[in-house]
Amino acid sequence: MPIYNKPFETMPRKELGALQLKRLQATIERIYASVPFYRTSFTKAGITPQDIKSLADLQRLPFTTKLDLRDNYPYDMFAVPMEDVVRIHASSGTTGKPTVVGYTQNDINTWAELMARSFSAAGATRFDILHNAFGYGLFTGGVGAHYGAEKLGMAVIPVSGGNTKRQITIMQDFKPTILCGTPSYILHLSEVAEEMGVDFKDLHFKAGIFGAEPWTENMRTEIESKLHLKAIDIYGLSEVMGPGVSIECHEEQKGLHVFEDHFMVEIIDPETLEVLPPGETGELVFTSLTKEAFPVIRYRTKDITSLNPAPCSCGRTHIRMNKPSGRSDDMLIIRGVNVFPSQIESVLMETREISPHYQLVVDRKNNLDTLTVKVEIDEKSFSDDIKSLQAMETRISNNIKEHHGVSARVMLVEPKTIERSQGKAVRVIDNRKF
Ligand code: DLL
């Protein structure tokens, strides 16, 4: 399968390092002159642009956090005047103000190129038709995928999220071959298809590119078997660009190649802020190397994963990040035990009789935290036999305890009673915050 931009995606590591240094120095120089926030934070750290002499000097630069972006809402982090900005997106913060990001025409071109590379890594070509079910709007998913697919030469169907029955009809009639969306919405699509008596086997998809929320390997297996396509993980975040910061290759589907000619990636210990060696798990941190309107320096994503520098059979030389397991701010601490929703998901997905729709509810009763795992029973296994349902609940609860050390009450609920999302699924309801 051809690599979209072979010279850059397969660049020898030494050459890549030299390119990164040149781009890093230019970025630092530019933002020191144009963004008061960065000039102040560099000055506080005693650093001037001339101090960045090697890639190791990146570690001397201060981190940037979501709070810094909020403090500079909406436009104070922009490094170019508004007349050079051609697009604005925003990420919907669950609390407080959203984060506003801007793009110049060059930024849009780079983003389209990186998304074209991503589609190509997933096995797509200009002969493919894309059914793009990522939401269009302030969210970066829809429009980001759209421009990249067009750049690769695919025919794009911009369906966005929602209107699910109509989407199935479009799939039957327009014959798309590549599918995009959040994994949770994709599962909902497959459920609606089933209700309509449509089998994905009779549709025409060869690959799907899914992301914007964490999903486990078990979820991948479920999606691949239900939808009869190869499911590829794509990662990104508005602050760094949007989708297309990293992507799995279809050859290995094992770790997401970070487009290192445009982003530097580090893993840090979120407590000590020390940079961790490859293989160790911690928080992902990105520095943009080419962005003009909204450059970010050592941006702390809160996403938890590790890096894998091993060579890849696809030929790309860019480092891989392992599938993110979740966000540090999604981590639940239940009576002292740390647990991520994705860990619970792994256990649930191993239980045959339940469907992949679940929600975690956290409460505090008598000063003790309690976790309830609500999960839908599969339609085929649904019965009125209370005893057998209770036995299943106990079995799942024991499995969760055994694998992750956390006590959870499992509550089987009727099929299709947990709310479906068109974008990112709401996995956790934490009643302790209110
Ligand atoms: O979710 C951009 C995107 C769109 C990525 C479409 C992939 C596909 P935000 O709305 O700013 O941007 O949310 C970014 O979503 O920090 C992660 O916590 C999470 N996330 C994104 N992709 C993945 C993934 C888009 N593949 C936040 N696996 C990030 C796990 C993901 N989490």
Side-chain angles (χ1 to χ4, degrees), residues 134 139-141 212-214 233-238 243 303 327 424:
F134 279 132
F139 175 56
T140 51
E213 62 187 5
D233 193 5
I234 186 164
Y235 169 90
L237 63 167
S238 326
D303 292 320
R327 296 175 55 79
K424 301 179 193 238

Side-chain angles (χ1 to χ4, degrees), residues 40-48 51 60 62:
T40 310
S41 80
F42 292 175
T43 306
K44 266 197 210 146
I47 291 166
T48 64
D51 293 326
R60 298 177 58 193

Side-chain angles (χ1 to χ4, degrees), residues 59 265-269 272-283 305-309 319-320 322:
Q59 293 190 21
V265 59
E266 301 169 276
I267 295 280
I268 61 162
D269 178 323
T272 64
L273 307 185
E274 291 291 313
V275 174
L276 298 175
E280 283 192 31
T281 300
E283 180 178 342
T305 187
S306 55
L307 296 177
N308 172 12
I319 199 163
R320 280 176 284 175
N322 289 313

Side-chain angles (χ1 to χ4, degrees), residues 117-402:
R117 287 188 196 178
S118 301
F119 281 115
S120 180
T125 70
R126 60 192 303 272
F127 297 99
D128 282 301
I129 302 177
L130 171 66
H131 184 104
N132 187 11
F134 279 132
Y136 280 65
L138 286 176
F139 175 56
T140 51
V143 185
H146 186 112
Y147 275 59
E150 283 188 352
K151 186 157 178 103
L152 184 62
M154 296 164 80
V156 186
I157 312 173
V159 278
S160 193
N163 228 329
T164 309
K165 277 194 177 149
R166 188 163 148 244
Q167 297 219 13
I168 304 296
T169 311
I170 287 174
M171 287 175 181
Q172 287 179 299
D173 296 349
F174 297 9
K175 303 185 174 46
T177 50
I178 304 283
L179 177 60
C180 270
T182 60
S184 52
Y185 184 59
I186 294 307
L187 276 174
H188 179 47
L189 269 171
S190 86
E191 183 177 65
V192 172
E194 206 177 311
E195 278 167 17
M196 292 168 69
V198 175
D199 191 334
F200 264 81
K201 237 195 249 150
D202 303 325
L203 299 179
H204 310 270
F205 291 112
K206 62 179 191 197
I209 300 173
F210 309 132
E213 62 187 5
W215 51 307
T216 55
E217 280 301 333
N218 289 344
M219 183 72 96
R220 189 208 302 272
T221 310
E222 173 96 10
I223 291 179
E224 289 194 331
S225 73
K226 277 202 163 130
L227 278 83
H228 300 274
L229 47 68
K230 197 176 254 242
I232 302 283
D233 193 5
I234 186 164
Y235 169 90
L237 63 167
S238 326
E239 296 89 330
V240 176
M241 183 179 75
V245 172
S246 63
I247 180 98
E248 285 177 338
C249 53
H250 73 278
E251 289 89 343
E252 294 223 349
Q253 288 178 288
K254 203 166 187 341
L256 297 86
H257 291 278
V258 176
F259 291 120
E260 283 185 284
D261 49 334
H262 293 275
F263 310 106
M264 294 213 40
V265 59
E266 301 169 276
I267 295 280
I268 61 162
D269 178 323
E271 302 293 325
T272 64
L273 307 185
E274 291 291 313
V275 174
L276 298 175
E280 283 192 31
T281 300
E283 180 178 342
L284 264 175
V285 171
F286 287 102
T287 297
S288 67
L289 295 174
T290 51
K291 280 175 73 187
E292 294 180 342
F294 193 86
V296 280
I297 303 300
R298 303 194 87 195
Y299 182 69
R300 290 188 57 182
T301 64
K302 302 229 167 159
D303 292 320
I304 304 293
T305 187
S306 55
L307 296 177
N308 172 12
C312 185
S313 64
C314 73
R316 289 176 183 79
T317 50
H318 294 182
I319 199 163
R320 280 176 284 175
M321 52 179 257
N322 289 313
K323 227 172 175 341
S325 56
R327 296 175 55 79
S328 57
D329 42 12
D330 281 349
M331 187 180 78
L332 299 168
I333 306 179
I334 307 295
R335 303 193 197 175
V337 182
N338 299 352
V339 63
F340 283 101
S342 60
Q343 294 176 311
I344 306 278
E345 178 180 300
S346 289
V347 175
L348 296 179
M349 300 295 294
E350 276 166 13
T351 312
R352 230 178 348 100
E353 301 92 332
I354 58 178
S355 81
H357 302 282
Y358 68 94
Q359 205 159 47
L360 312 183
V361 185
V362 188
D363 282 295
R364 180 165 291 152
K365 284 180 196 140
N366 304 328
N367 286 323
L368 277 183
D369 294 333
T370 60
L371 172 63
T372 305
V373 177
K374 279 191 186 173
V375 59
E376 287 179 13
I377 186 141
D378 193 272
E379 229 148 336
K380 288 175 212 105
S381 313
F382 188 59
S383 87
D384 290 335
D385 179 1
I386 305 280
K387 270 215 178 114
S388 75
L389 293 179
Q390 280 173 343
M392 203 191 303
E393 288 174 343
T394 309
R395 178 158 55 88
I396 301 169
S397 169
N398 289 344
N399 281 344
I400 293 173
K401 177 88 184 175
E402 191 182 315

